[in-house]
Amino acid sequence: MKFEQDHRETLFSIIKSRRDVRGNRFIDKKIPKDILNKILLSANHAPSVGFSQPWRFVIIENKKTKNQIFKDFKKENNKAKKIFKDSKIYSSLKLEGIKEADLNIAVLYKKPKKDILGQTSQRKMGEYSTVCAIQNMWLTARSFNIGMGWISILKPKKVKKIIGLTKTQRDEYKLIGYFSLGYVDKFYEKPELEKLKWENKKSLNEVILNWE
Ligand SMILES: Cc1cc2nc3c(=O)[nH]c(=O)nc-3n(C[C@H](O)[C@H](O)[C@H](O)COP(=O)(O)O)c2cc1C
């Protein structure tokens, strides 16, 4: 397939308008199954080291499970609040949307049982491949006007138990990310942390270290 200028523009505008969405923006509307399938399918088309496709997904719709995950977030965030105690805004930040989102997805990495082509010198390549799958999900969700948020203020060990992995599965899988997904009332034009002046957006010049 040969792509044209309008495809490129659409792709770039999806990339640029993707946002991390938290609980202050999710609305009460179900994500249809066929759309969820498309989001997962796009994750499953990500590149992976040695074509290992090491990503695995757990979809969480159950309120009880969400509540338990939220409890762990609260606990972990109370610890984080102490670390950022000098910041005026940290404790006012909404840093998750666990309960407000229609669904949550845990993305896991299946640790290999044999050597993987390309992963012999750098052992984390499988985990990086899983992050590629996550980015595919994030962009595809945005193309359906569905918001997605990454919630990392959680204890992976606890999350794996709460989402129902058996002891063997907990040893076999590493939690890479925990996400909330749902329709939103609006997408911000800029990252929330930029709007709140927590961080500035870096220019291309600032991120290119060297160009020889
Ligand atoms: C690995 C990773 C972990 C993140 N964890 C959190 C989190 O725990 N809570 C949160 O509110 N945002 C989290 N974010 C979202 C970032 O804050 C967000 O991507 C960044 O501020 C830029 O905003 P944007 O995604 O809307 O462009 C995470 C993002 C990444 C890539």
Side-chain angles (χ1 to χ4, degrees):
M1 184 167 178
K2 194 166 178 282
F3 294 107
E4 306 298 341
Q5 185 58 16
D6 56 341
H7 294 113
R8 286 186 281 281
E9 276 167 19
T10 304
L11 175 63
F12 191 62
S13 71
I14 294 169
I15 289 173
K16 233 183 127 188
S17 54
R18 182 212 49 78
R19 287 279 77 81
D20 184 272
V21 174
R22 293 139 185 134
N24 45 349
R25 296 273 69 93
F26 288 119
I27 58 168
D28 188 14
K29 183 179 166 187
K30 281 227 128 328
I31 299 176
K33 284 280 167 299
D34 57 328
I35 294 182
L36 176 60
N37 268 336
K38 228 8 197 296
I39 293 170
L40 295 169
L41 198 61
S42 73
N44 204 31
H45 277 288
S48 62
V49 65
F51 201 37
S52 53
Q53 304 155 79
W55 42 74
R56 298 292 182 271
F57 308 97
V58 176
I59 291 102
I60 300 123
E61 290 178 300
N62 189 304
K63 263 203 175 117
K64 203 176 141 203
T65 310
K66 287 181 184 172
N67 285 340
Q68 282 177 286
I69 296 281
F70 182 72
K71 252 174 91 180
D72 185 54
F73 166 81
K74 284 283 267 188
K75 196 172 159 203
E76 290 302 308
N77 202 34
N78 283 337
K79 291 189 220 163
K81 278 179 188 165
K82 286 181 193 138
I83 297 168
F84 294 105
K85 63 180 184 308
D86 296 333
S87 150
K88 278 194 192 107
I89 64 167
Y90 186 90
S91 48
S92 68
L93 293 173
K94 177 80 177 153
L95 295 172
E96 53 71 47
I98 299 162
K99 293 196 287 186
E100 298 89 343
D102 178 40
L103 47 93
N104 293 182
I105 300 183
V107 181
L108 304 157
Y109 164 62
K110 189 174 194 310
K111 299 174 197 168
K113 291 210 169 89
K114 56 179 175 85
D115 285 324
I116 300 283
L117 185 159
Q119 196 165 303
T120 44
S121 299
Q122 299 186 49
R123 311 304 291 183
K124 287 209 183 274
M125 288 301 141
E127 290 168 53
Y128 299 162
S129 304
T130 308
V131 178
C132 292
I134 290 167
Q135 180 70 343
N136 276 9
M137 284 171 70
W138 217 333
L139 294 173
T140 305
R142 181 63 187 89
S143 79
F144 281 107
N145 303 307
I146 288 170
M148 174 161 151
W150 193 322
I151 304 143
S152 47
I153 307 165
L154 294 169
K155 265 255 174 314
K157 257 190 176 174
K158 274 263 183 72
V159 171
K160 287 198 282 185
K161 260 195 179 168
I162 296 170
I163 63 174
L165 300 194
T166 61
K167 168 82 180 77
T168 319
Q169 286 174 325
R170 295 202 295 272
D171 292 339
E172 232 173 86
Y173 299 104
K174 175 173 179 174
L175 179 79
I176 300 296
Y178 190 89
F179 302 89
S180 48
L181 279 90
Y183 286 100
V184 299
D185 58 355
K186 67 171 176 183
F187 283 95
Y188 292 129
E189 260 179 52
K190 289 180 174 185
E192 230 174 315
L193 294 183
E194 182 182 3
K195 274 174 24 124
L196 297 167
K197 302 199 184 322
W198 182 270
E199 278 290 348
N200 294 322
K201 174 86 200 123
K202 290 185 175 51
S203 70
L204 207 46
N205 276 340
E206 288 173 278
V207 296
I208 298 173
L209 280 187
N210 240 329
W211 190 324
E212 294 192 21

